[in-house]
Amino acid sequence: MKVLLTGVTGYIAKRLLPVLLEQGHELICCVRDKDRLNIPTEQHNIKVIEVDFLDKETLKNLPTDFDVAYYLIHSMATQTGDFQRMEIECATNFKNFIELTKAQQIIYLSGISNSNQLSKHLDSRKNVEKVLASGSIPITTLRAGIIVGSGSASFEIIRDLVEKLPIMVTPKWLKTKCQPIAIRNVIEFMVGVVLNAETYHKSYDIGGPDVLTYKEMLLQYAAERKLTRHIYIVPVMTPRLSSYWLYFVTSTSYNLAKNLVDSMKVEVICKPNRLAEQLGISLINYRTAIQLAFQKIESNHVISSWKDAQTSTILSGGLSRLLEVPAYGCFKDVRSVTLGNSDTSLNKIWSIGGQSGWYYGNWLWKIRGFMDQLVGGVGMRRGRKSKTDLSAGDTLDFWRVLIADKKQKRLLLYAEMKLPGEAWLEFKIEGQTLIQTATFRPLGISGRLYWYAVLPFHAFIFKGLIEQIAKLEK
């Protein structure tokens, strides 16, 4: 069967993709930027096509001979424009396109929207569902609330809060009830309804067996991790303060934090249905979902992370334009060192950032990340998805991986922090020599002043970094 998969660089689609491949389906993957997708297409039955559903002209690149389409596009984390308008426009363009194809079904993952008063996020999801359902192609809508899995936004935010804060003074929305669902169950539902005629033109709420408040979710996570945590709910935290609270403590961007807070004030509890029973799905409880998430984390096998889809406006033009590091009109800090063991140093390079830190002057890297966060940047909070593996498109603290070629012993990073210019950091091993190059292309006078202001810090940070990478552990 041929399947059209949208939102392929997103958290859900990256989890769904290998399952569909295992079942022998042929996939047409829609992406806005091929360079952010790390798929060995020569080994799999996959066709990757660049398409932007906000640009109707690009839809002409898509084939029309597919059987099922997954609609997994959303814009809640966007830092530009009105995400509600963008989501409606995307859905309308998608609906008009699919009317001209041989598709027999659309599968849409939405949000539970049973409350009389919905957040902007949930209201937008509901409106998208109406647009998609207004066409002639049968649609099956699966509505989920909090999704729990390694790398999911909900799980990572809960993880950040509980792991970092032994005492929490929290807003009153922590009393709101929700019905979390394990990512494993979400994928089972999404695969189970494929070409299932009984599910056509229907919507289903999907959730796990537990109905919990957000406070209970935090405390159960703490219990699972054998941590003692105290949570005090106060009524004086405004939505704005709540958004800042999430922004500074967790890995989320401010825009996403604001939309999440808006949504967390709304109860997301499933209306009963028999879909799990019909598809033979055993629902996983919340604490077991946490255990499964940590099994993935501890085995270093996190397939996808919501942070990889969280980008700054810097990358709106795509990664391909950034792959060629400029040679002129730039400031450069180039250092080289002879290695005692190139394989050891290569492994250090591939483990840089995240929990491993930056090997030298970590406190300065953290200060720089905090300063970026203060002006609305991504900061150092995103970490990395895997402790030892890197792929093009991955996030790495406040960097984005452009090239991760271990055979050629080259790693190229691009800065996503807010800067008066553009910055690259490259590590390359040639023979037994490590070459480390920091490149900064300034924007106007402010860019030049910035470079000279940080030059004294670069002098020993970059020197210490390359020396630590080259250092043989005793």
Side-chain angles (χ1 to χ4, degrees):
M1 184 174 65
K2 190 176 286 189
V3 177
L4 182 79
L5 186 59
T6 63
V8 184
T9 56
Y11 176 75
I12 297 294
K14 278 187 177 179
R15 296 297 176 106
L16 181 61
L17 188 149
V19 176
L20 294 173
L21 287 175
E22 285 173 9
Q23 295 186 348
H25 300 306
E26 181 181 348
L27 300 186
I28 304 162
C29 297
C30 304
V31 294
R32 283 186 294 178
D33 186 355
K34 283 184 179 180
D35 294 313
R36 286 187 58 202
L37 189 64
N38 186 47
I39 294 178
T41 53
E42 70 279 358
Q43 298 177 18
H44 297 301
N45 200 11
I46 298 177
K47 186 174 184 179
V48 180
I49 299 175
E50 284 192 342
V51 57
D52 182 352
F53 284 95
L54 285 172
D55 182 356
K56 289 185 283 189
E57 287 299 308
T58 65
L59 272 61
K60 295 177 181 177
N61 300 328
L62 291 172
T64 59
D65 59 337
F66 53 87
D67 305 292
V68 175
Y70 282 95
Y71 190 80
L72 302 174
I73 300 170
H74 68 87
S75 307
M76 188 171 70
T78 184
Q79 297 190 38
T80 58
D82 179 354
F83 80 87
Q84 291 176 290
R85 180 195 59 76
M86 292 167 67
E87 289 192 341
I88 291 298
E89 188 175 343
C90 273
T92 302
N93 290 340
F94 177 85
K95 188 261 297 184
N96 293 339
F97 156 73
I98 206 166
E99 295 279 279
L100 306 174
T101 72
K102 298 178 181 179
Q104 301 173 54
Q105 183 188 24
I106 299 169
I107 300 171
Y108 171 48
L109 182 63
S110 185
I112 295 174
S113 52
N114 299 324
S115 176
N116 292 328
Q117 290 187 326
L118 297 177
S119 65
K120 287 184 178 180
H121 159 54
L122 292 174
D123 187 56
S124 182
R125 291 290 178 92
K126 194 169 185 178
N127 288 335
V128 166
E129 182 182 339
K130 289 177 182 177
V131 171
L132 298 177
S134 67
S136 60
I137 309 299
I139 179 174
T140 302
T141 302
L142 301 172
R143 297 170 173 170
I146 297 295
I147 297 175
V148 182
S150 58
S152 77
S154 305
F155 175 79
E156 294 298 338
I157 288 171
I158 290 169
R159 185 182 177 190
D160 278 344
L161 290 172
V162 178
E163 301 277 357
K164 293 178 181 178
L165 301 175
I167 299 174
M168 289 178 246
V169 179
T170 64
K172 60 184 179 182
W173 50 254
L174 256 73
K175 295 179 180 179
T176 304
K177 291 181 180 179
C178 59
Q179 194 164 350
I181 181 170
I183 180 62
R184 193 168 299 192
N185 283 156
V186 173
I187 300 303
E188 288 175 329
F189 278 114
M190 295 184 75
V191 170
V193 298
V194 170
L195 293 184
N196 184 332
E198 289 185 20
T199 68
Y200 290 179
H201 304 295
K202 292 180 182 177
S203 299
Y204 300 90
D205 292 348
I206 57 173
D210 301 322
V211 176
L212 305 166
T213 65
Y214 288 106
K215 179 178 178 178
E216 289 171 333
M217 289 177 67
L218 292 170
L219 291 175
Q220 287 194 24
Y221 177 97
E224 199 60 45
R225 296 288 288 159
K226 296 180 172 55
L227 297 169
T228 301
R229 293 295 183 259
H230 302 281
I231 300 174
Y232 303 98
I233 297 174
V234 296
V236 294
M237 261 198 187
T238 65
R240 181 181 289 273
L241 282 175
S242 298
S243 301
Y244 280 121
W245 181 68
L246 272 187
Y247 173 61
F248 280 105
V249 176
T250 72
S251 307
T252 183
S253 67
Y254 177 73
N255 280 351
L256 184 55
K258 185 170 60 175
N259 290 319
L260 285 172
V261 166
D262 196 28
S263 295
M264 286 173 174
K265 294 182 290 184
V266 180
E267 284 197 345
V268 282
I269 300 173
C270 300
K271 284 184 177 178
N273 62 71
R274 297 181 60 251
L275 186 60
E277 181 184 340
Q278 292 168 358
L279 300 179
I281 295 172
S282 298
L283 297 176
I284 299 167
N285 64 43
Y286 176 63
R287 290 187 69 158
T288 302
I290 294 172
Q291 293 168 11
L292 292 172
F294 272 99
Q295 286 177 17
K296 292 288 186 182
I297 293 167
E298 289 164 3
S299 64
N300 200 32
H301 192 62
V302 179
I303 297 173
S304 63
S305 171
W306 71 284
K307 299 171 189 176
D308 292 338
Q310 182 189 3
T311 63
S312 61
T313 54
I314 295 169
L315 300 183
S316 58
L319 293 186
S320 56
R321 69 180 181 85
L322 305 171
L323 294 176
E324 193 70 37
V325 182
Y328 302 102
C330 298
F331 296 110
K332 289 182 180 285
D333 183 297
V334 183
R335 300 176 188 273
S336 63
V337 65
T338 301
L339 303 174
N341 187 315
S342 62
D343 290 336
T344 299
S345 294
L346 185 64
N347 288 333
K348 281 187 178 181
I349 292 169
W350 247 249
S351 302
I352 203 166
Q355 292 181 359
S356 299
W358 289 82
Y359 303 137
Y360 184 83
N362 266 319
W363 62 279
L364 287 171
W365 288 92
K366 289 177 181 178
I367 288 173
R368 182 64 187 89
F370 181 70
M371 290 171 63
D372 185 54
Q373 200 175 338
L374 285 176
V375 295
V378 295
M380 292 280 281
R381 303 158 299 153
R382 298 184 305 182
R384 50 181 291 161
K385 182 169 60 184
S386 166
K387 293 179 182 178
T388 55
D389 296 327
L390 289 174
S391 301
D394 284 358
T395 54
L396 178 55
D397 293 334
F398 49 54
W399 303 91
R400 179 74 58 170
V401 179
L402 298 181
I403 296 173
D405 190 334
K406 210 164 187 180
K407 288 183 179 179
Q408 296 296 321
K409 300 181 178 181
R410 184 188 180 206
L411 177 66
L412 179 64
L413 309 175
Y414 181 80
E416 283 196 83
M417 67 185 94
K418 288 187 178 293
L419 291 168
E422 296 178 289
W424 291 258
L425 181 59
E426 181 179 26
F427 301 95
K428 183 165 58 175
I429 296 177
E430 296 179 351
Q432 291 298 312
T433 301
L434 168 61
I435 304 168
Q436 174 187 284
T437 307
T439 303
F440 182 69
R441 178 160 60 187
L443 180 63
I445 295 174
S446 61
R448 287 165 171 77
L449 291 174
Y450 169 81
W451 175 263
Y452 289 119
V454 299
L455 196 57
F457 300 101
H458 286 175
F460 62 90
I461 286 178
F462 288 136
K463 179 177 182 291
L465 175 58
I466 193 170
E467 287 176 351
Q468 289 298 315
I469 292 173
K471 183 178 179 182
L472 289 175
E473 303 296 336
K474 294 182 180 180

